[in-house]
Amino acid sequence: MYSRAFWTCPINVSSSGFNRADIGAPIGTPLHWKWLPQDGVTSTVRDTSAAHVYDSGERGPGSAYTQDMNFAGTWVSEETYAGSPTAS
């Protein structure tokens, strides 16, 4: 069982990666990524599994991206900025 706060709080994105390496959530739960305004980096967060369920597109400081996780499975997220991926 997951507490609501665990899966509705934003996943902070910065040039050093994500603030949460592992997240569990029930099917249908929206996950929220938030780019830290003080970081100053534009990056993309995407699913690197074969399913390619989500891709935020380029996002800048202070922006956000939400994806409803309507599928059961395990995904590896990758953040790409300045041409270098950071898996989390």
Side-chain angles (χ1 to χ4, degrees), residues 3 12 14 24 33 37 41 46 51 54-57 61 65 67 76 82 86-87:
S3 72
N12 292 327
S14 71
W33 286 266
V41 174
R46 69 175 60 91
Y54 56 90
D55 185 331
S56 69
Y65 173 71
Q67 173 66 47
V76 175
T86 303

Side-chain angles (χ1 to χ4, degrees):
M1 179 89 172
Y2 302 102
S3 72
R4 189 161 192 59
F6 180 72
W7 40 266
T8 60
C9 292
I11 303 159
N12 292 327
V13 179
S14 71
S15 59
S16 61
F18 309 134
N19 70 334
R20 299 170 191 219
D22 296 311
I23 294 177
I27 293 174
T29 299
L31 294 182
H32 308 283
W33 286 266
K34 180 180 177 186
W35 279 253
L36 299 177
Q38 68 272 23
D39 196 54
V41 174
T42 297
S43 63
T44 301
V45 171
R46 69 175 60 91
D47 166 25
T48 59
S49 74
H52 301 291
V53 173
Y54 56 90
D55 185 331
S56 69
E58 285 192 357
R59 304 286 171 144
S63 64
Y65 173 71
T66 300
Q67 173 66 47
D68 290 334
M69 302 308 284
N70 293 321
F71 309 94
T74 300
W75 294 274
V76 175
S77 295
E78 175 184 83
E79 177 188 14
T80 303
Y81 64 97
S84 300
T86 303
S88 291

